[in-house]
Amino acid sequence: MKSTSHVSLVTILALAASAGVCQATFAADKNAPKPDTPLSALIVGGGPDIKHNQVAIESNVVYVRSLLPPSADTRILFADGNPKSETVLYENRRHNEVTRAPKLPALDAPTVPASVESAMDLTAKTAADKPSLLYFTGHGSPNDSGDVDNNKFDMWDKNEFTVKNLASSIGKLPAKTPVTVVMAQCFSGSFGNLIFQNGDPVAPLTDRNICGFFASIAQRPAAGCTTEINQKNYRDFTSYFFAALSGEDRLGKRTTGADYNNDGKVGMDEAFAYTIINDDSIDTPVCTSDVFLRRYAKISDDAIFKTPYSQVIAWATPGQRAAIEALSDQLKLTGDGRVGDAYKTFATTMLASFETKDVRVIRFVRLAKTIVLSHEMVTNGDESLKARYDALKGAEAGNPLTGPAAPSPLPAVVATPKTPDAPTPAFLAHQTFTLGKMLPPPVVTIDVTDAPETKAWAENAQKIVTEWFPLITPFLATDHWKAPKTLKLILKHENDAPAYTDGDGITISTQWITDHPDDFGMVIHELTHVIQSYPDKGDKPGWLVEGIADYIRFWRYESDVPRPRVDPTKAKYTDAYRTTAAFIAWAQGKYDRSLILRLDGALKTGDYHDAMFEQITGKNLDALWSEFIKTVPPPPHRPSVTMTIS
């Protein structure tokens, strides 16, 4: 048995989120026969390496396998695929992390992409007539390109499996095979895009009967990757979802209270609602109907969050009603305007927050939005889309452990006939462009000599800089830029500015981070200055330099928190920072997707001039600003924040 002193941040977060107990559990009837429902199951578990292959992941595999029907065709992929390898990391009684071999009911292959492909090939040949359940437990990561619609499941030996990879694998199954996907990893909500062809959120719906449930939205981590061996302390998506779905928790105790429509059985949609209510962790669960509605139901956020709470309750399904009422009670919300009140709170909440209240606010706002969007779809949606939505909701109401809802033939989505004009070369030039080069991060060091009490904060900033350096570089002109080999973060007792960049060093005010401990967006702003690295020649207006840095911060790093407001009565494009960021983001979206990259490239070579805006967009700066400012709403009579919640 091997030992290690490593304690992962993910482990600490998972344990920190583990307060509370599962409320509705009773002793299970061990003699009750398990329903033998036709099912093909693929369980994929394990981390990318030993130090991230925590025992909780193995426990999830064992738990879910124990719930499957006796005759289910099951394949288990785990870690390196070797039952004798000491790949499972756990914490012993002395609180040291040690490793052991896996203790699984079966182990068929390693958790690598080829194993999933082989499993799909085998299922297509031997079990194509059975519904298919795919369960993934382990670690997930954002896509390296920054495309959160195509996040990845981290596989053994640093392999990865993206949304599009999984869509391709599922495509090996006959179209008639119903598929249910359940994923418990970080950033898993991205996989809701499996309802679209090739996993592409802008593509048409797939012709397959597929639904899914995921532990977190695409922009957030999830709980559950702990080295703790005591399963009674586990608080995560898998524990609650499958306890409600099966009626038995991972300790073998009976779980009740999830049959919200009182029909004598629990569907996955009800298990999902049960999880939203009871999961006392950082999870922000997502289901495929959430994704469907956000693509096809057409109603503004402003209208959604003006909906009276009494109306939301009236439109909700029994499970949704139970969940939103429970969240309302947990958040101590009152009155018929509580949906709007929660939205205002959400708008000032860090999407990355792990605070229990913030997590519940995110859940409440997302659920309220889903309920209103569902009503809009049912009452005003296109008939063919309504039929597909009904089919998806029917699939989500099924239960693969006891027998899924009968898969009905999927109705076709009838698009309005249209003969598109052939795109001109000029149009294509404005809508497509080549990203800059993704560069590896420099070696990032920290200097807390002047402020040793900030070491923990500095280490977090160090991780963010290392992770985000390669994610920022493609959005700027880095093809011919020589990146620094090292970068230093210096914490000092300075109060002149929150932070500043000098060459390959970023100096950060300790007073600022004391007052704003969650402001890592400031670090991203300064990191962008490092990557900008403009020479001392040519015109490099400060308003544009700072505007590009804030664009990277607010439109790339903090893309799901409240965007900065612009006051159209006072603002000028030369105001720099967030005002300029909003302006150039708008101009790029409306006129040319390569605008900011090209501006950055000219600044890097010393060739920038204001006339470039007209050369790229066809309009000069003043004309662009006049057009932009007309799109900005006037300042409200009272403070408010508007944003889009996915």
Side-chain angles (χ1 to χ4, degrees):
M1 183 165 59
K2 301 173 184 176
S3 65
T4 173
S5 60
H6 170 81
V7 180
S8 72
L9 177 62
V10 174
T11 299
I12 295 171
L13 294 175
L15 289 173
S18 295
V21 295
C22 183
Q23 297 298 317
T25 58
F26 304 90
D29 181 359
K30 295 295 184 180
N31 298 317
K34 188 173 295 184
D36 200 5
T37 300
L39 183 68
S40 170
L42 174 64
I43 299 177
V44 182
D49 49 41
I50 292 176
K51 73 176 183 177
H52 295 102
N53 194 39
Q54 294 93 340
V55 68
I57 300 173
E58 178 199 56
S59 175
N60 286 347
V61 172
V62 173
Y63 175 44
V64 173
R65 177 63 185 89
S66 73
L67 302 176
L68 299 181
S71 65
D73 294 305
T74 306
R75 288 184 65 79
I76 296 176
L77 314 182
F78 188 79
D80 67 355
N82 186 341
K84 297 182 180 180
S85 294
E86 293 191 4
T87 55
V88 178
L89 184 70
Y90 71 99
E91 184 178 301
N92 65 17
R93 293 180 179 178
R94 296 182 178 180
H95 303 293
N96 295 320
E97 290 190 342
V98 295
T99 59
R100 60 161 171 78
K103 299 177 181 178
L104 297 171
L107 179 48
D108 297 295
T111 298
V112 295
S115 299
V116 178
E117 299 285 340
S118 297
M120 293 295 100
D121 285 332
L122 182 63
T123 300
K125 292 177 181 178
T126 63
D129 58 335
K130 298 180 179 180
S132 186
L133 171 64
L134 312 180
Y135 171 65
F136 287 72
T137 175
H139 294 273
S141 299
N143 192 291
D144 291 337
S145 70
D147 178 10
V148 296
D149 288 321
N150 192 33
N151 289 346
K152 56 191 180 181
F153 180 83
D154 299 332
M155 290 190 162
W156 188 256
D157 199 23
K158 304 299 190 292
N159 282 286
E160 58 189 46
F161 211 57
T162 65
V163 175
K164 292 182 178 180
N165 293 149
L166 183 54
S168 176
S169 293
I170 292 173
K172 294 174 176 287
L173 300 177
K176 67 178 182 180
T177 303
V179 175
T180 298
V181 182
V182 180
M183 307 186 89
Q185 78 273 14
C186 298
F187 311 104
S188 53
S190 179
F191 285 81
N193 290 322
L194 291 170
I195 63 174
F196 304 113
Q197 293 178 16
N198 305 314
D200 184 347
V202 299
L205 289 163
T206 181
D207 294 329
R208 180 180 304 282
N209 195 318
I210 184 171
C211 69
F213 298 86
F214 314 94
S216 69
I217 61 175
Q219 302 88 353
R220 277 182 60 93
C225 299
T226 174
T227 55
E228 162 102 39
I229 61 174
N230 191 344
Q231 295 185 53
K232 73 178 183 181
N233 292 328
Y234 288 5
R235 301 292 184 271
D236 53 63
F237 181 79
T238 293
S239 297
Y240 290 93
F241 183 79
F242 280 101
L245 195 62
S246 67
E248 181 179 319
D249 73 7
R250 60 169 74 240
L251 298 179
K253 295 182 179 180
R254 186 160 58 93
T255 300
T256 63
D259 181 14
Y260 298 110
N261 63 4
N262 297 312
D263 66 351
K265 54 189 177 182
V266 176
M268 290 183 288
D269 55 345
E270 292 175 310
F272 182 72
Y274 180 90
T275 304
I276 290 174
I277 296 169
N278 293 288
D279 182 357
D280 294 326
S281 76
I282 62 173
D283 293 337
T284 49
V286 177
C287 63
T288 39
S289 55
D290 292 337
V291 177
F292 181 101
L293 291 169
R294 281 152 177 77
R295 165 80 180 271
Y296 293 115
K298 304 301 181 184
I299 182 172
S300 70
D301 277 1
D302 183 60
I304 289 171
F305 295 108
K306 286 180 179 177
T307 305
Y309 180 71
S310 57
Q311 191 67 75
V312 173
I313 289 295
W315 291 340
T317 66
Q320 289 172 335
R321 186 178 304 116
I324 203 161
E325 287 181 337
L327 290 169
S328 179
D329 290 343
Q330 291 165 2
L331 292 166
K332 296 180 171 56
L333 298 173
T334 59
D336 219 21
R338 70 187 77 176
V339 174
D341 294 340
Y343 181 58
K344 292 172 186 175
T345 301
F346 167 82
T348 57
T349 297
M350 288 287 293
L351 193 66
S353 173
F354 287 175
E355 294 295 324
T356 299
K357 180 181 177 181
D358 295 340
V359 172
R360 288 172 176 167
V361 166
I362 293 170
R363 292 182 190 176
F364 182 94
V365 169
R366 283 186 52 82
L367 180 55
K369 180 168 184 174
T370 290
I371 293 168
V372 177
L373 289 176
S374 179
H375 175 75
E376 177 68 17
M377 173 60 64
V378 170
T379 55
N380 299 315
D382 172 87
E383 290 300 323
S384 59
L385 281 173
K386 285 197 286 186
R388 282 300 296 268
Y389 179 59
D390 287 343
L392 177 58
K393 291 295 290 180
E396 290 182 344
N399 187 329
L401 305 181
T402 60
S408 55
L410 293 179
V413 174
V414 181
T416 304
K418 181 180 178 182
T419 303
D421 297 329
T424 64
F427 174 84
L428 291 175
H430 282 296
Q431 296 301 319
T432 61
F433 68 98
T434 302
L435 288 170
K437 186 184 296 182
M438 180 178 284
L439 301 174
V443 175
V444 182
T445 60
I446 60 174
D447 182 352
V448 294
T449 305
D450 192 46
E453 72 279 5
T454 65
K455 182 179 179 182
W457 190 96
E459 288 175 342
N460 282 336
Q462 180 184 35
K463 292 175 184 176
I464 290 171
V465 168
T466 301
E467 177 184 353
W468 274 86
F469 184 93
L471 299 182
I472 294 172
T473 54
F475 296 106
L476 300 175
T478 52
D479 281 347
H480 304 292
W481 176 63
K482 187 176 181 180
K485 294 183 179 180
T486 61
L487 196 159
K488 181 179 289 188
L489 304 181
I490 307 164
L491 280 292
K492 282 192 173 183
H493 294 299
E494 296 188 2
N495 298 316
D496 293 340
Y500 62 86
T501 299
D502 183 11
D504 301 337
I506 299 174
T507 300
I508 300 168
S509 163
T510 58
Q511 184 60 52
W512 180 265
I513 66 170
T514 298
D515 296 338
H516 307 85
D518 294 325
D519 188 12
F520 292 102
M522 166 269 294
V523 179
I524 295 296
H525 177 102
E526 297 302 327
L527 176 59
T528 302
H529 284 328
V530 173
I531 299 171
Q532 286 173 309
S533 189
Y534 300 143
D536 291 327
K537 65 176 182 178
D539 186 14
K540 49 177 183 177
W543 61 268
L544 183 56
V545 175
E546 299 297 343
I548 290 174
D550 256 15
Y551 165 78
I552 295 295
R553 171 181 180 168
F554 289 111
W555 270 259
R556 294 301 174 183
Y557 176 69
E558 293 178 334
S559 59
D560 284 277
V561 299
R563 295 268 171 82
R565 290 189 63 86
V566 174
D567 185 346
T569 64
K570 299 178 181 179
K572 306 182 296 296
Y573 66 78
T574 54
D575 285 346
Y577 296 102
R578 53 190 64 195
T579 298
T580 302
F583 170 54
I584 61 178
W586 168 85
Q588 173 162 275
K590 184 171 178 62
Y591 287 104
D592 196 303
R593 302 291 182 181
S594 68
L595 174 65
I596 293 171
L597 186 142
R598 292 166 70 178
L599 293 174
D600 178 74
L603 288 163
K604 275 187 168 67
T605 58
D607 297 321
Y608 170 80
H609 45 85
D610 286 351
M612 284 191 67
F613 278 88
E614 185 169 7
Q615 294 170 1
I616 297 172
T617 69
K619 295 187 177 182
N620 64 34
L621 269 168
D622 290 333
L624 285 171
W625 178 257
S626 296
E627 184 179 355
F628 164 70
I629 214 66
K630 292 176 183 177
T631 70
V632 179
H637 295 297
R638 55 186 176 80
S640 69
V641 183
T642 60
M643 66 177 295
T644 298
I645 171 70
S646 64

